[in-house]
Amino acid sequence: MPTHVHGSHHITLSVGSAQEDAEFHVHTLGMRFIKRTVLFDGVLPIYHLYYSNADGDPSSVVTTFPFRKAGWAGRRGTNQAREVLLAVPAGSLDYWAKRLGERGVETTHADVLETRRLLFRHPTGIEYALVEVDGDTRRGFTGGGVPAEYAIHGLFGVGVHVSHPENMVEFVTGHFHAGEPAEEGDRITARIGAPGQGGAVELVVNRADDPGTWTYGEGTVHHFAWNVETLANQAEIKNELEGAGYTDISEVKDRKYFRSVYVRSPSGALFEMAVTAEEGWTIDESPKELGTRFQLPSQFEGRRTEIFDQLEHLDI
């Protein structure tokens, strides 16, 4: 069977305060809080927080690492994933402009690549856009006070800033099976995967900024994950990438809720190829309990009290 990418899986950001981040995603954007755990890599206790649409669809998830308490700062720039693109129902932007404005978030309306958008920023400065989409069947979450006709469906895609886009175009079309790219001004877009699965990659030609950081650090996008559906497919794509010379690629990493392989793309953006575990988010919580308990990977369970005491208090 040929290799394929079904669509997006999640996007992961390095943010500031955990409380500030949770209030932004849950109370301002009305997303569902589905998981509180910790960063699997390294030894420093850092929260890993997950937000989604009503059903926790893989293509709907925004996850964050709050780094302010640790004092790690990043730098936004070019050759870096930089924009969080979220899909909302057509005709909903006036509602969102009002809602965000009432919560002190400045917004700008824009028409980009034949889509209507509302541009704004996360409290740490990360760039967001709500993109109007027709016919998206993913269910928005209404428990956060946003009516269904306006609620966020999930990811629309990711904006990646590049100094030269040619190699990245070849990468996404040749190895991630993107469709024919479209171009408008300084922005090139390609769609990966099935419609309505958050698979837009938008390359923004940016030769004005210095390169951004690739490490963890407040105020930056760390990686964008793709849903490759099966471990066999993941292995085939990994082999294909390595055979083409993309050897800055990880071995399979067990993230409990999914298994991941990471590859550094020619743009500098870190891409992840994810396969959801059979139980998904419910491996350690029932569907109704999602996000209510502090979860730890097994290797950290013996340090639960120590880790919890070092983390910022989170009330959500």
Side-chain angles (χ1 to χ4, degrees):
M1 180 178 177
T3 58
H4 67 281
V5 178
H6 184 67
S8 64
H9 192 277
H10 64 271
I11 189 170
T12 295
L13 320 175
S14 295
V15 298
S17 156
Q19 186 67 38
E20 176 186 72
D21 180 72
E23 290 177 357
F24 174 74
H25 284 103
V26 174
H27 298 310
T28 299
L29 295 184
M31 299 182 76
R32 185 181 182 188
F33 187 46
I34 61 168
K35 198 66 64 181
R36 68 178 87 194
T37 181
V38 295
L39 174 63
F40 276 41
D41 299 322
V43 296
L44 185 67
I46 299 294
Y47 270 127
H48 195 178
L49 310 177
Y50 292 67
Y51 313 94
S52 77
N53 67 3
D55 300 314
D57 295 322
S59 62
S60 76
V61 180
V62 176
T63 89
T64 63
F65 300 129
F67 276 102
R68 186 166 300 163
K69 187 172 182 181
W72 293 10
R75 181 183 65 253
R76 288 185 297 279
T78 195
N79 297 337
Q80 178 192 63
R82 195 158 142 172
E83 301 175 13
V84 182
L85 310 178
L86 301 173
V88 294
S92 65
L93 293 189
D94 288 343
Y95 167 86
W96 280 108
K98 184 174 185 292
R99 180 181 177 89
L100 292 170
E102 289 172 347
R103 288 158 174 79
V105 180
E106 294 183 3
T107 61
T108 303
H109 287 271
D111 292 308
V112 180
L113 295 163
E114 300 182 348
T115 61
R116 295 187 65 229
R117 303 185 178 195
L118 191 68
L119 312 181
F120 57 101
R121 289 180 181 264
H122 184 279
T124 57
I126 297 171
E127 294 142 289
Y128 276 59
L130 298 179
V131 184
E132 287 194 345
V133 176
D134 276 316
D136 194 324
T137 59
R138 296 173 294 176
R139 292 196 313 134
F141 182 58
T142 57
V146 178
E149 62 267 31
Y150 306 124
I152 293 169
H153 294 302
L155 293 168
F156 180 82
V158 61
V160 179
H161 286 222
V162 293
S163 55
H164 297 279
E166 295 82 5
N167 290 343
M168 190 61 177
V169 170
E170 187 277 331
F171 182 78
V172 297
T173 56
H175 302 292
F176 277 75
H177 314 291
E180 187 67 25
E183 187 170 353
E184 179 183 290
D186 62 359
R187 193 172 290 250
I188 301 167
T189 189
R191 299 293 177 90
I192 295 174
Q197 294 298 314
V201 177
E202 298 190 357
L203 306 176
V204 182
V205 179
N206 178 349
R207 300 188 179 106
D209 291 342
D210 290 333
T213 50
W214 292 352
T215 57
Y216 296 127
E218 178 179 340
T220 59
V221 176
H222 186 258
H223 64 264
F224 191 84
W226 298 97
N227 181 9
V228 297
E229 296 193 295
T230 70
L231 293 173
N233 186 51
Q234 182 188 67
E236 287 296 322
I237 296 174
K238 181 178 187 292
N239 289 339
E240 178 184 321
L241 288 166
E242 288 177 321
Y246 294 104
T247 54
D248 189 359
I249 192 167
S250 76
E251 297 305 313
V252 178
K253 295 181 180 290
D254 185 351
R255 301 312 196 188
K256 188 177 182 180
Y257 311 108
F258 43 88
R259 285 172 170 75
S260 303
V261 170
Y262 300 84
V263 61
R264 185 69 66 181
S265 73
S267 67
L270 185 63
F271 278 2
E272 174 184 340
M273 295 170 286
V275 178
T276 304
E278 184 176 352
E279 303 92 336
W281 314 120
T282 62
I283 195 170
D284 51 18
E285 293 176 297
S286 72
K288 290 184 178 179
E289 293 176 313
L290 291 180
T292 60
R293 297 202 303 269
F294 179 49
Q295 304 294 341
L296 281 175
S298 58
Q299 68 267 31
F300 294 147
E301 191 59 55
R303 299 173 56 200
R304 174 174 285 270
T305 301
E306 170 203 345
I307 288 172
F308 189 77
D309 287 346
Q310 292 183 51
L311 292 170
E312 175 188 347
H313 174 71
L314 180 59
D315 183 15
I316 194 70

